[in-house]
């Protein structure tokens, strides 16, 4: 499924629709808002290496003009955030967005600390929302489908929110995956975006259906703060990134890795954990390994590289790709609005870069074909390797899935990944702090680009397995069931 024409053209008109209830605080004036758009444009054009990967320069300029036009009238801070989120999502780069967690504390409070959230979690199957757990299970029972929220069909709500949801390229599925509410995100996109598009009062009126054969009913439930919901449901961030090793049968191991953001847990020796895990696989003489990446968006690229060293039986040449920078030094006129976790980024040395001749730069010590991944002594030697993948896989997990498939290191099972074969961004970032509004935009500095043109899509699994409402309601795991079938067939043939 692809974006509708309304998404492609949402910023091409004279003005962007803004929810009238998106914040009631003091309004920002055009003289404050429009200079911020001009600074954002300069930062993107100067430093963003993937700005024109999915949208041509003429369209980008037209959308910037439309963004400026929306600020011809005073806007609240939340209305400004909404307009910025829609514009940035239209660029089709999953790392470029007004990151809620990088906003100033007073802005975070408006986005994340108001009683505007649903009191439940839900999983999306296509565009159907199935409740998984709730603060009041009697009012919102697990397995029930949410049909409408305050009179709005779920499909219509998603059509609006997807306009402001980040993702790589045209595929819609990765954006829908980010709109699920499942307790795994510190700043869930649905929580942030819903009250920007739709008015929220002290309660929600939810129409739901407990099964496809029962009549819908309507319940009224309180709107809550996201933190209250997550604390009560106790489904917040698990210990050690949620990594775990289990054994579905005596000859099969499953390694579940829902997050590669190792910097968020400085007490976790993740390299030691992997070493111990694969040592255990050797000691147990495990024949089949399942790598469960379905919940993993990405994080530390080094995790993907470490995993490859445990998954390849011989030296592996990584897939060659460019690492392109748009600029070899920071524009002095932008230095005051750029921040980074790495202060060295603001001191980039032009002498360390070589121009490509196409408006990009590469580091002089960079060779797109040089990376050789050496296997560890504990590398898995079993004959069957599988990876569970899906639309959440972007960034580092997308790159790992691509290496696994193209190097025939594992059979991919599930749905197409997020990310994009045309390339993605990441690696290093500037945080652009717009001075008048105080809003922040994540700006990636490195484009990971293929050496040859590729289609606008993620990685297709070797074994496509569709999730259905019925499998969600019953708690079944059709992807893992398919791997069980493949293992049974492989063992029968031997």
């Amino acid at each position: 499924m692809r974006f509708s024409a309304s998404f492609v053209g949402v910023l091409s008109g004279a003005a962007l629709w803004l929810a009238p209830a998106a914040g009631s605080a003091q309004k920002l004036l055009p003289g404050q808002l429009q200079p911020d758009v001009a600074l954002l444009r300069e930062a993107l054009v100067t430093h963003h290496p993937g700005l024109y990967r999915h949208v041509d320069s003429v369209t980008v300029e037209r959308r910037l003009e439309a963004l400026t036009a929306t600020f011809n009238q005073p806007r609240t801070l939340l209305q400004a955030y909404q307009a910025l989120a829609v514009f940035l999502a239209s660029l089709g780069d999953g790392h470029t967005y007004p990151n809620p967690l990088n906003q100033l504390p007073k802005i975070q409070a408006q986005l994340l600390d108001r009683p505007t959230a649903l009191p439940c979690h839900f999983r999306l199957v296509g565009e159907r929302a199935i409740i998984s757990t709730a603060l009041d299970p009697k009012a919102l029972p697990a397995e029930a489908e949410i049909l409408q929220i305050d009179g709005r069909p779920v499909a219509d709500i998603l059509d609006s929110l997807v306009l402001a949801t980040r993702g790589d390229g045209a595929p819609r599925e990765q954006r829908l995956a980010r709109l699920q509410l499942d307790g795994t995100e510190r700043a869930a996109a649905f929580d942030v975006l819903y009250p920007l598009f739709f008015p929220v009062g002290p309660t929600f009126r939810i129409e739901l259906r407990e099964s496809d054969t029962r009549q819908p009913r309507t319940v009224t439930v309180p709107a809550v703060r996201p933190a209250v919901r997550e604390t009560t449901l106790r489904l917040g961030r698990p210990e050690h990134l949620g990594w775990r090793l289990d054994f579905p049968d005596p000859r099969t191991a499953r390694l579940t890795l829902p997050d590669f953001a190792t910097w968020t847990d400085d007490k976790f020796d993740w390299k030691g954990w992997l070493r111990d895990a694969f040592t255990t696989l050797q000691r147990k003489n495990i024949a089949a390994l399942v790598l469960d990446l379905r919940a993993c968006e990405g994080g530390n690229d080094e995790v993907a590289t470490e995993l490859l060293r445990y998954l390849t039986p011989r030296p592996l040449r990584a897939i060659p790709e460019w690492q392109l920078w748009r600029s070899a030094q920071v524009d002095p006129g932008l230095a005051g609005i750029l921040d980074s976790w790495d202060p060295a980024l603001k001191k980039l040395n032009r002498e360390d870069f070589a121009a490509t001749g196409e408006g990009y730069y590469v580091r002089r010590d960079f060779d797109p074909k040089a990376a050789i991944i050496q296997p560890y002594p504990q590398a898995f030697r079993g004959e069957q390797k599988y990876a569970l993948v899906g639309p959440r896989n972007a960034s580092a997990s997308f790159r790992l899935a691509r290496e696994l498939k193209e190097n025939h290191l594992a059979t991919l099972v599930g749905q197409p990944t997020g990310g994009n074969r045309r390339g993605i961004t990441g690696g290093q970032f500037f945080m652009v702090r717009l001075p008048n509004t105080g809003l922040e935009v994540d700006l990636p500095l490195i484009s990971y680009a293929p050496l040859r043109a590729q289609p606008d899509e993620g990685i297709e699994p070797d074994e496509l397995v569709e999730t259905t409402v019925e499998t969600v309601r019953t708690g079944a795991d059709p992807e893992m069931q398919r791997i069980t079938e493949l293992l049974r067939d492989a063992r029968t043939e031997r």
Side-chain angles (χ1 to χ4, degrees):
M1 187 181 296
R2 302 288 173 172
F3 282 124
S4 65
S6 63
F7 180 88
V8 175
V10 70
L11 284 170
S12 62
L16 171 69
W17 176 84
L18 292 165
S24 58
Q26 182 178 358
K27 291 190 175 181
L28 298 159
L29 301 176
Q32 297 170 285
L33 295 162
Q34 292 177 346
D36 275 6
V37 177
L39 282 171
L40 176 62
R41 177 197 179 280
E42 187 176 355
L44 291 172
V45 171
T46 302
H47 289 292
H48 197 299
L51 183 60
Y52 308 124
R53 175 177 284 133
H54 299 288
V55 184
D56 62 65
S57 60
V58 173
T59 302
V60 170
E61 291 297 330
R62 188 166 63 246
R63 292 179 181 176
L64 280 164
E65 291 172 3
L67 180 60
T68 302
T70 69
F71 296 147
N72 282 334
Q73 300 295 324
R75 302 295 184 188
T76 67
L77 181 67
L78 293 185
Q79 286 175 330
Y81 180 94
Q82 180 200 22
L84 195 60
V86 171
F87 164 69
L88 294 169
S90 79
L91 301 178
D93 182 80
H95 284 100
T96 307
Y97 70 117
N99 188 340
L101 297 175
N102 284 341
Q103 304 300 327
L104 297 172
K106 66 178 182 179
I107 300 176
Q108 283 196 38
Q110 290 196 56
L111 293 172
L112 301 170
D113 195 26
R114 298 185 298 149
T116 54
L118 291 173
C120 65
H121 290 156
F122 62 79
R123 183 172 175 183
L124 289 176
V125 182
E127 299 190 8
R128 298 176 67 180
I130 309 301
I131 296 171
S132 52
T133 185
L135 296 180
D136 184 353
K138 291 184 179 179
L140 299 173
E143 302 174 15
E145 179 182 358
I146 300 174
L147 301 176
Q148 295 188 17
I149 302 174
D150 289 337
R152 300 179 185 88
V154 165
D156 292 350
I157 292 170
L158 295 175
D159 279 344
S160 293
L161 301 193
V162 80
L163 301 176
T165 303
R166 62 193 177 99
D168 294 297
R172 179 182 172 100
E173 288 78 7
Q174 59 184 296
R175 290 169 174 81
L176 291 175
R178 285 196 170 107
L179 288 172
Q180 295 187 124
L181 273 176
D182 57 11
T184 62
E185 304 258 6
R186 289 183 292 163
F190 194 95
D191 287 338
V192 171
L193 297 175
Y194 184 89
L196 302 183
F197 281 83
F198 306 107
V200 177
T203 61
F204 289 105
R205 185 168 50 87
I206 297 181
E207 181 182 305
L208 55 83
R209 182 167 54 204
E210 295 187 44
S211 74
D212 290 345
T213 60
R214 299 183 64 173
Q215 290 298 312
R217 63 185 178 91
T218 300
V219 298
T220 299
V221 295
V224 300
R225 286 180 168 82
V228 170
R229 181 191 63 215
E230 299 311 319
T231 300
T232 305
L233 295 179
R234 300 183 184 279
L235 289 175
R237 190 172 182 80
E239 185 180 19
H240 298 333
L241 308 180
W243 290 17
R244 68 180 186 272
L245 174 65
D246 68 297
F247 300 90
D249 66 59
R251 292 186 290 172
T252 304
R254 177 170 52 199
L255 198 62
T256 302
L257 304 173
D259 195 344
F260 289 174
T262 55
W263 59 82
T264 63
D265 189 347
D266 56 8
K267 296 182 180 180
F268 181 33
D269 177 14
W270 63 271
K271 289 185 178 181
W273 192 96
L274 287 177
R275 182 177 60 250
D276 291 345
F278 280 91
T279 299
T280 298
L281 301 190
Q282 278 194 349
R283 177 172 53 82
K284 288 179 170 286
N285 197 28
I286 294 297
L289 174 63
V290 180
L291 191 64
D292 191 345
L293 302 171
R294 288 173 289 184
C296 184
E297 177 180 340
N300 186 353
D301 283 339
E302 192 178 1
V303 175
T305 301
E306 282 289 293
L307 283 166
L308 290 172
R309 296 186 70 180
Y310 286 109
L311 296 172
T312 180
R314 61 188 64 85
L316 173 70
R317 183 178 296 278
I319 297 171
E321 62 181 359
W322 290 107
Q323 293 184 19
L324 303 173
W325 298 63
R326 175 59 75 178
S327 179
Q329 58 190 26
V330 173
D331 182 339
L334 295 172
I337 66 168
L338 301 179
D339 197 5
S340 176
W341 301 115
D342 182 0
L345 288 175
K346 295 185 73 172
K347 300 178 182 179
L348 293 175
N349 187 345
R350 176 69 179 80
E351 299 302 316
D352 293 335
F353 292 83
T356 66
E358 298 175 347
Y360 296 96
Y361 296 86
V362 295
R363 288 193 175 274
R364 292 189 182 277
D365 58 358
F366 171 74
D367 181 347
K369 299 181 180 180
I372 302 294
I373 298 171
Q374 297 290 344
Y376 280 129
Q378 302 94 334
F380 183 69
R381 305 292 178 180
E383 294 185 6
Q384 285 88 40
K385 288 179 284 189
Y386 302 91
L388 292 165
V389 299
R392 283 196 174 183
N393 300 144
S395 192
S397 61
F398 159 80
R399 299 180 72 196
L400 175 60
R402 184 186 59 176
E403 293 281 0
L404 294 176
K405 179 165 183 174
E406 294 195 18
N407 288 295
H408 306 289
L409 294 177
T411 299
L412 271 54
V413 179
Q415 294 89 47
T417 71
N420 202 279
R421 289 176 60 189
R422 282 186 181 176
I424 60 174
T425 59
Q428 299 286 356
F429 290 82
F430 278 139
M431 291 171 282
V432 182
R433 186 79 60 193
L434 301 174
N436 294 318
T437 60
L439 293 171
E440 181 274 348
V441 173
D442 279 11
L443 195 164
L445 299 179
I446 303 175
S447 168
Y448 299 93
L451 302 188
R452 293 181 298 276
Q454 298 291 326
D456 181 7
E457 62 187 24
I459 304 299
E460 288 288 330
D462 301 293
E463 294 281 336
L464 179 64
V465 180
E466 298 289 353
T467 300
T468 67
V469 170
E470 184 61 26
T471 58
V472 170
R473 282 177 167 159
T474 61
D477 188 342
E479 295 101 329
M480 195 64 197
Q481 289 174 356
R482 180 56 182 151
I483 288 178
T484 300
E485 294 170 358
L486 294 171
L487 282 171
R488 183 179 62 241
D489 292 345
R491 289 165 179 171
T492 301
E493 292 172 359
R494 292 186 60 184

